[in-house]
Structure formats: structure tokens, C-alpha cells
Amino acid sequence: MSARKNKAEKTEGREAIFCPDATRGVLRSLDSQDIAATKTKAMIVNTLHLRERPRIENLQKAGGIKKLMNWSGEIISDSGGFQIFSLFHSNPDKGKIGDEGLKIYTGANKQKVDLFSPEVSIQTQMAIGSDIQICLDDFTRIDADEKGVEESVRRTIGWARRSKEEFERLTGQSENKPQLFAVIQGHNNRKWRRYCADALQEIGFAGFGLGGWLFNEDGSIDYATMKFNAELTSEKYARYAMGFGKPEDVVVLFKMGYTIFDTVLPTRDARHGRLNVFNRDREGKVVLNMDKLPSEQEPFYRYVYLDKTTQHEDNLSTPDKHCGCHTCRNYSLAYLNHLFKIGDSLAWRLATIHNLYFYQELMGILNLA
């Protein structure tokens, strides 16, 4: 992925990119060389968490998170908008959200206030040194009525405008500036989601994130709203399906026009002993027909469980003999099962390496479609 592009450059035909979540500047159990060996090109970090630790001044001294991590790939920095939703919307004792930004209470009896504003978010992302930066957005509450949806959309637009102004102030006429993305909010209200998308495009950004908690009442993904959201922006802009990354969902969203994905699933699953393994034909080709939706064909992958089972304790086969990852080239299911049984940290490392490689192989399949 080449994130640093001229804003006028058209981006039709861009490659699918999967970014594992290195929220605090680390993928648990892996170093940067391990991550690069999985063919991972980019990771996503979280602005609000990195502002707390190691802090802006230490990031600046280090020359950014990439130098601190010794990472030669690219970095996307999430603005902190989802963390505002998940940590503060439901807990007003921690902070207050308003048009100015997030007021974080840091002292006893709310005596001290730390303002996390759109400007501060951009300043922090500059210290992080990310290649793609995200405007601070107001995540629409799941239970919001129309008035609540309107409020979050208008606040998201206002914050995006202020983020863009601060971004331009800090980058000036630099030719090697990062890309700046905005996030489309509005939950499943199409009127306000369209209003948000139109206003953000008028301000002008390099790409647009799919914001919101887009699930139906039965827990299924709201594909209809996701498709509607994709159609709101031109194909010349990147479309980022933020936080959605289950393999079958990635395929569906890619067909809709989204090309950037992130999720904690492959790393979290790995730590719980769950591997993603492709279903392949006799020649080793993944049995995925890109002319059909995943729901219209046999599953193209399966899960292999290692931590709470005796199924593989004497299985000397590798997880996937056709997989090129370090784990599958060197270790058997029996050994991986043994590592999980005895609780050795090597189990996390080897399982995580495999799952990340799986996702990158999936990106390769999408890019050849």
C-alpha cells in the first residue's frame, strides 16, 4: 500500500489491505520482524491510547511510532472516536462529550479536566507519524433517536472540518504529507448518513471510514446500510470498513467497494487457540468463488481449535500444508496443542503468525479477483 498520494490522484483499482490492530504500538507476542514475515503491509494504532502512553513528547523524541517499534511498513492511526463511544458515552463520571471535544476527568471529584479535541487528535497523530490519519468523529449511539443521530452527525462534520484545518496548518505545503480520512456516521438512518457523506466530501478528504455499529436486531451484520454507505462516495476515494474483518464479511465488503479492513479477530483468536485454515482443492487452491457471495457457496475456510481439545495431541500434520507461514512450515498441530496445554507464550506467537498470514493470503485472493 502506498498511502502517501497526491490528493488529486484517482485511486480506482486500489488493493485490498488488512491492518491488524496494534492498538498500543504492539501486536501481543510478536515483534516487527515477525509481523513483516506474515506479509503484513500496514497496522493500525490508537491515538487516544498512545497519547496516554508513551505520550506525545516521547513519540516525538523517538521520531514516531514506526521508529519506536522498528516497523518499516505503514501505520494508520485511529482518531480515538470509538474509544470515546465505548469508554465515555456510558460512563459520564469519566468524561463529558460536547462540541468542543471530550473533556476527560483526571482528578478527584472531577477537579482536573484534560481536553481531547479534534485538534489534539491531529496533533497526536502527527507525533505518531502515521501514514493515514483519521478525523475525530462522534460515534452515533446504537439506541439514538433521530435527534441523537442528527447531533452525532453534525458534531462529526464539525470535528472533521476542524481536523482538516489543523491538519493543513501542521502540514502546510509539504509534498510528503499523510492522507487524512473522515468517518461517515449516522447509524442506519439513511437521510443523515447521506447528509454526513455529502458534507464530508465537500470539505475534502482522501478517504472515508465506515462509522457506526452496523448490526441488525438479531445480531447479523447490516449489509444493506453498508452497501448504501459505500455508494455515497466516489470510487476515487478509499473506503475503509473500520473494525469489520471476519473473513466472509471482508469478501462481501470488498465486493461492495471497501478495500481497507481491520479487526482484532485474528490476533485475539490466536491467543485463544483458534486458527483460521483455508479449505483447498487437491492442487492447494482456496475454494472461494469470487463471482458468488460466501453465503451462496461452501465455506472457504474453517476453524482449528488447539487450546481445550485433545483432538490434535498426536496429529503431526501442520495446520495447512499449503500455507507458507513460519508456523506451517515448521510445526505440527500436535506441538501447537502441546504449547497451549502447558501455557507457554510460544503458542500465542506461532498461532498469531499463522492467522495474520491467513488474512494476507485472503487479501491476495481479493486482489486477483
Side-chain angles (χ1 to χ4, degrees):
M1 176 176 68
S2 178
R4 298 178 185 266
K5 295 174 180 274
N6 184 290
K7 288 189 296 182
E9 182 179 346
K10 291 185 178 296
T11 54
E12 290 92 338
R14 67 172 62 243
E15 291 187 347
I17 298 292
F18 173 74
C19 308
D21 282 32
T23 303
R24 297 179 183 271
V26 63
L27 292 182
R28 294 175 70 181
S29 79
L30 302 191
D31 68 12
S32 294
Q33 286 67 45
D34 285 334
I35 299 166
T38 67
K39 300 184 179 181
T40 294
K41 299 178 180 179
M43 292 185 283
I44 182 168
V45 298
N46 184 268
T47 300
L48 193 60
H49 288 311
L50 292 181
R51 178 172 177 263
E52 175 188 356
R53 190 179 295 112
R55 302 194 306 271
I56 290 180
E57 58 269 30
N58 290 328
L59 286 165
Q60 290 171 332
K61 288 179 182 178
I65 194 66
K66 289 198 283 188
K67 289 189 176 180
L68 191 62
M69 295 174 64
N70 191 27
W71 170 246
S72 60
E74 297 196 338
I75 290 288
I76 298 175
S77 51
D78 192 4
S79 66
F82 179 76
Q83 282 65 39
I84 290 177
F85 163 76
S86 62
L87 298 176
F88 296 94
H89 258 305
S90 59
N91 195 342
D93 289 334
K94 287 187 174 183
K96 182 179 180 181
I97 303 164
D99 291 345
E100 189 178 1
L102 169 67
K103 294 180 179 179
I104 304 172
Y105 302 133
T106 60
N109 300 319
K110 305 179 183 178
Q111 291 176 340
K112 295 182 180 180
V113 175
D114 180 18
L115 178 64
F116 185 70
S117 65
E119 292 82 4
V120 170
S121 178
I122 292 296
Q123 292 162 14
T124 307
Q125 292 182 71
M126 288 297 179
I128 289 170
S130 47
D131 301 282
I132 292 179
Q133 301 181 3
I134 312 291
C135 295
L136 190 65
D137 61 302
D138 186 24
F139 195 106
T140 307
R141 293 178 66 102
I142 301 166
D143 59 352
D145 57 16
E146 181 151 0
K147 182 179 179 182
V149 173
E150 177 183 356
E151 181 181 46
S152 78
V153 164
R154 291 191 183 279
R155 183 173 290 151
T156 291
I157 295 167
W159 285 359
R161 183 175 290 108
R162 288 165 55 189
S163 296
K164 175 74 176 291
E165 290 171 355
E166 183 67 6
F167 177 84
E168 295 295 348
R169 184 183 74 82
L170 293 175
T171 58
Q173 301 300 315
S174 172
E175 295 182 357
N176 194 34
K177 62 175 64 179
Q179 286 190 332
L180 183 64
F181 284 24
V183 182
I184 301 171
Q185 290 290 351
H187 195 40
N188 58 7
N189 186 307
R190 296 196 174 193
K191 180 184 78 173
W192 285 108
R193 192 165 279 274
R194 180 184 294 279
Y195 182 93
C196 190
D198 289 347
L200 294 176
Q201 287 181 97
E202 185 175 345
I203 297 170
F205 296 96
F208 297 93
L210 171 66
W213 189 261
L214 294 177
F215 291 90
N216 298 309
E217 291 185 1
D218 62 359
S220 61
I221 290 182
D222 185 358
Y223 284 130
T225 300
M226 290 176 160
K227 186 174 186 295
F228 174 78
N229 186 89
E231 293 169 348
L232 293 175
T233 58
S234 167
E235 289 186 0
K236 70 180 181 179
Y237 300 117
R239 299 186 183 117
Y240 181 4
M242 304 177 73
F244 290 94
K246 200 171 181 180
E248 56 268 36
D249 298 332
V250 168
V251 174
V252 175
L253 291 168
F254 179 77
K255 291 170 74 71
M256 291 179 185
Y258 296 95
T259 55
I260 304 177
F261 308 93
D262 79 86
T263 180
V264 300
L265 284 177
T267 50
R268 186 176 63 191
D269 281 356
R271 295 193 300 272
H272 289 86
R274 187 161 86 162
L275 303 186
N276 299 95
V277 178
F278 283 115
N279 293 327
R280 303 178 187 266
D281 60 22
R282 291 182 178 180
E283 285 72 40
K285 184 179 179 181
V286 177
V287 291
L288 173 60
N289 184 347
M290 286 299 296
D291 292 329
K292 297 182 178 180
L293 293 172
S295 60
E296 299 171 341
Q297 56 187 302
E298 292 297 314
F300 64 90
Y301 76 101
R302 65 190 184 279
Y303 293 118
V304 173
Y305 296 88
L306 295 167
D307 61 338
K308 296 180 180 179
T309 179
T310 59
Q311 179 182 359
H312 301 294
E313 64 182 7
D314 61 352
N315 188 344
L316 298 179
S317 300
T318 64
D320 182 353
K321 68 179 181 180
H322 296 287
C323 176
C325 79
H326 171 73
T327 303
C328 288
R329 287 188 286 107
N330 292 283
Y331 300 103
S332 67
L333 287 166
Y335 185 57
L336 293 171
N337 180 251
H338 168 67
L339 293 175
F340 274 102
K341 292 292 186 184
I342 65 174
D344 193 275
S345 61
L346 180 58
W348 286 14
R349 175 175 178 260
L350 295 179
T352 303
I353 285 172
H354 169 80
N355 277 359
L356 290 183
Y357 196 96
F358 168 94
Y359 268 76
Q360 299 309 330
E361 186 172 355
L362 177 59
M363 295 303 106
I365 293 169
L366 298 182
N367 290 328
L368 290 174

